[in-house]
Amino acid sequence: MAITVREALRIGPLVRSTVLAGASGLDRVIKTVTVLEAPDSYEWIKGNELALTIGYMYKDSPELLAPLVEELARRGAAALGIKFKRYLPDLPEVVREKADQLGFPVLTIPYDCGWIDILKPLYNYLLDEETKRRYHAQQVNAHFIEILLKNKGLTPLLQSLSEMIMAPVAVFDANHEELARAFPPGWTPRDATPEGPRLTYPIFLLKGKAGYLIVYAAGPITPLTTVTINQALTAIALEFLKEQAIREVERRYENQFLTDLLNGNFDSKEVVLRRAQVFGWNFAWGHIAVLVEIDQLNEYLLEHGNADVYRMRRDQLLELAKKELSRRLPQAIVSDHGNRVLIIALGPKETAPPKLKAQVAEAVTKLVAEVARVLTPFTASAGLSAYYREITDLRCSYAEAKEALAFGRAFKGPGSVTCFEDLGVYRLLCNQSRDELAAFARQYLGPLLECSAKQKASLLETLRTYLQHGGNISAAAEAMYLHRRTLQYRLRKIQRILQVDLADPVNRLNLSIAFMALTLLDSKDA
């Protein structure tokens, strides 16, 4: 336990002491007492000592007390007590100035007191306070544990804490979302504003910081109040662990149910609906499936091999998805699915599919933007399925969301949000096997693909740009920063290699689809 210098001056013979200098430091903390009677005894100072001396070492040069005061203050001592009369008549002015400058108290010690007369009452007080502190800690801890064992949750625990310390309190999660708040009798929400005085205490679990306890304090925190708050932090951490364990079990059951649904492991729709009711899900409604994935996460893991960061970012993505979707699509189911987040956006029967699609697209776009903001430098991409009326079609909607995610990332780049219904001609290719896509690409682009690496890259880029600009030579040349004649020369070369007439729109269509097939092959490989 500890007391301040100010409090110590009310104990035993110290009540007759006088503060000669450094009065601004009377709130410095005393944890022990030591006697300085050797030239180098200051070297044993560890911090928070009341140092006592009769001044024998300084009888010939009292001004040397100034460097001693400076050294004691530097080492964290609480105060210096000097017994005057025998060796030192008074305190030199230079020492007073130094003590005042440092806010380091220098006290007189009554001449008729032995050191034991000072030590005994101080240590008795410290031991008595420590006994009180431990007893108080045990009582408070038992009270908080009783609340937890009765499964009353955070709010009753905080209510009890606020009444004990007579201050409003609140708990926030790691994302600064308020979880619970309580006020002592006679207090109102106006007494706990963000602009007012407050103390913040982090709540730690094994994986790191899990949240914060805020104490809206109007006055100083006493030692026993600190003990109460520390016991409350332990109880809150236990409540967090309990809720975390419950969520983990629920998540496992939910994920297993969704996995079974994706794998078609149910005999009938009725069984699915009954199982869904256990989790509070209304699968009688139509749905849109969404897959969200952090773009650079797998590459990061391969490059850095930091599995902890990988798991942390994946968990953060899940929490952000739950937070954002709970605001915008309260009926949505959000679940982790490997390194992706699976969202099943449910829409009541009276909600028209186009309206639900617009709502889901807006919510997912906001989520992707939030991921880019919070998880910088990582971004996330998302794929949305078409609307399906039956939940037993989740396998189909999931496959579409997966294809949309892969296609969007391949064609639009990281941070994309892609709807399967907006893929156009790619929807005709999505069900084709890898071998069929490769065969189609080889049939129309094979001779170019077999050219030397440098020539292949140049000619493929030229042909792709030409096709993307609808066969407009001027527009394609401008896009590639080429002279029109240079582009025409390359196109004639491409026609000779491929043995095709690029003026024929059917040929241009086949070549465009062949490029799409190549892109799809790359996305499937990725």
Side-chain angles (χ1 to χ4, degrees):
M1 198 63 181
I3 58 172
T4 64
V5 177
R6 192 188 309 275
E7 292 170 330
L9 292 175
R10 297 196 292 266
I11 299 173
L14 291 181
V15 298
R16 295 189 283 138
S17 295
T18 302
V19 181
L20 299 177
S24 63
L26 289 178
D27 289 320
R28 295 172 76 98
V29 174
I30 299 173
K31 290 185 177 179
T32 186
V33 183
T34 189
V35 177
L36 305 179
E37 298 302 359
D40 58 351
S41 53
Y42 64 83
E43 294 184 1
W44 303 325
I45 295 295
K46 304 298 182 185
N48 301 111
E49 294 94 344
L50 169 60
L52 305 174
T53 181
I54 59 174
Y56 175 78
M57 297 174 293
Y58 305 97
K59 61 185 177 62
D60 298 324
S61 303
E63 67 278 1
L64 292 181
L65 282 169
L68 174 64
V69 165
E70 186 171 12
E71 186 63 25
L72 290 175
R74 187 183 72 80
R75 291 173 177 266
L80 173 65
I82 304 174
K83 187 183 290 189
F84 291 95
K85 187 176 179 180
R86 175 171 293 185
Y87 299 111
L88 294 173
D90 56 21
L91 192 67
E93 187 62 29
V94 65
V95 183
R96 293 177 187 268
E97 293 176 356
K98 178 60 69 174
D100 285 336
Q101 176 190 346
L102 297 172
F104 184 80
V106 177
L107 319 173
T108 63
I109 300 298
Y111 182 72
D112 58 346
C113 289
W115 294 141
I116 190 65
D117 298 326
I118 305 280
L119 293 169
K120 186 175 179 180
L122 274 180
Y123 278 122
N124 284 341
Y125 179 88
L126 289 172
L127 290 173
D128 187 48
E129 289 300 303
E130 176 66 13
T131 300
K132 289 180 183 177
R133 186 194 69 80
R134 291 188 177 183
Y135 178 76
H136 180 73
Q138 291 174 353
Q139 294 296 108
V140 171
N141 179 65
H143 177 68
F144 287 151
I145 293 299
E146 181 182 3
I147 293 175
L148 295 181
L149 290 176
K150 291 181 178 179
N151 289 321
K152 293 185 176 181
L154 274 179
T155 299
L157 194 154
L158 289 187
Q159 188 60 50
S160 183
L161 171 63
S162 71
E163 292 173 2
M164 287 181 182
I165 65 176
M166 286 305 295
V169 293
V171 170
F172 295 79
D173 64 17
N175 294 321
H176 307 287
E177 291 289 324
E178 184 176 311
L179 301 178
R181 180 179 289 258
F183 301 88
W187 293 61
T188 67
R190 287 178 296 179
D191 301 313
T193 62
E195 297 77 20
R198 56 160 62 188
L199 295 171
T200 302
Y201 299 88
I203 302 166
F204 290 101
L205 300 182
L206 292 177
K207 291 183 179 180
K209 194 179 296 182
Y212 307 86
L213 168 67
I214 306 294
V215 177
Y216 299 91
I221 299 294
T222 67
L224 287 184
T225 299
T226 299
V227 170
T228 303
I229 292 172
N230 287 335
Q231 294 300 317
L233 287 171
T234 301
I236 294 169
L238 289 173
E239 180 67 16
F240 273 34
L241 283 172
K242 183 187 77 174
E243 292 298 322
Q244 189 180 82
I246 292 172
R247 286 197 302 270
E248 286 296 325
V249 172
E250 290 177 345
R251 200 162 93 177
R252 282 199 297 270
Y253 280 112
E254 290 174 358
N255 289 352
Q256 184 58 54
F257 172 55
L258 293 176
T259 299
D260 288 341
L261 192 56
L262 286 170
N263 292 332
N265 295 337
F266 291 100
D267 297 329
S268 66
K269 178 182 175 181
E270 287 67 28
V271 174
V272 173
L273 295 178
R274 283 200 298 271
R275 283 282 301 274
Q277 287 176 350
V278 174
F279 304 109
W281 300 339
N282 190 346
F283 277 176
W285 295 344
H287 75 277
I288 292 175
V290 182
L291 279 176
V292 186
E293 184 178 16
I294 296 178
D295 295 311
Q296 306 90 342
L297 200 55
N298 289 327
E299 291 80 357
Y300 179 90
L301 181 61
L302 291 174
E303 182 178 350
H304 300 281
N306 193 331
D308 289 336
V309 172
Y310 180 88
R311 284 191 294 267
M312 180 180 70
R313 295 302 187 197
R314 186 187 61 193
D315 292 344
Q316 285 178 315
L317 173 63
L318 179 63
E319 291 304 315
L320 283 173
K322 289 181 176 180
K323 177 181 174 182
E324 290 297 313
L325 272 296
S326 66
R327 295 173 177 174
R328 307 178 193 280
L329 295 171
Q331 303 297 337
I333 298 165
V334 181
S335 172
D336 59 325
H337 194 74
N339 60 339
R340 296 168 175 160
V341 169
L342 170 62
I343 300 166
I344 304 175
L346 300 170
K349 291 182 179 180
E350 61 270 16
T351 302
K355 182 179 179 181
L356 180 62
K357 176 184 174 182
Q359 292 174 344
V360 174
E362 180 183 5
V364 173
T365 300
K366 298 280 188 182
L367 169 61
V368 167
E370 186 68 4
V371 171
R373 186 185 71 83
V374 175
L375 302 187
T376 302
F378 294 101
T379 60
S381 292
L384 285 66
S385 76
Y387 175 87
Y388 280 84
R389 188 162 298 279
E390 299 295 337
I391 194 61
T392 48
D393 291 324
L394 182 61
R395 295 179 69 182
C396 298
S397 59
Y398 174 84
E400 290 182 358
K402 186 177 179 182
E403 293 289 352
L405 172 63
F407 297 167
R409 185 179 285 160
F411 292 111
K412 301 178 185 178
S416 62
V417 176
T418 307
C419 299
F420 182 79
E421 290 182 316
D422 298 337
L423 291 177
V425 69
Y426 291 109
R427 293 174 60 183
L428 301 177
L429 302 176
C430 67
N431 293 323
Q432 303 301 315
S433 68
R434 193 183 189 288
D435 290 342
E436 289 171 330
L437 292 173
F440 190 90
R442 281 196 304 272
Q443 179 180 347
Y444 290 96
L445 294 173
L448 282 184
L449 297 174
E450 294 170 1
C451 292
S452 64
K454 182 177 180 180
Q455 188 180 41
K456 177 176 74 172
S458 173
L459 295 179
L460 284 175
E461 181 188 9
T462 299
L463 180 56
R464 188 193 298 268
T465 305
Y466 171 75
L467 294 171
Q468 287 173 343
H469 287 81
N472 188 316
I473 293 177
S474 297
E478 183 179 350
M480 295 186 69
Y481 301 100
L482 293 176
H483 192 278
R484 180 183 173 91
R485 290 182 179 178
T486 302
L487 182 64
Q488 288 174 325
Y489 167 77
R490 290 188 184 179
L491 291 175
R492 287 194 297 271
K493 188 173 183 178
I494 290 169
Q495 289 185 110
R496 288 197 306 270
I497 295 173
L498 295 180
Q499 295 294 304
V500 297
D501 178 10
L502 293 179
D504 186 338
V506 175
N507 288 337
R508 291 204 302 269
L509 175 61
N510 288 331
L511 290 169
S512 296
I513 295 175
F515 273 113
M516 293 179 185
L518 283 180
T519 304
L520 295 183
L521 287 170
D522 291 339
S523 69
K524 288 178 180 291
D525 290 340

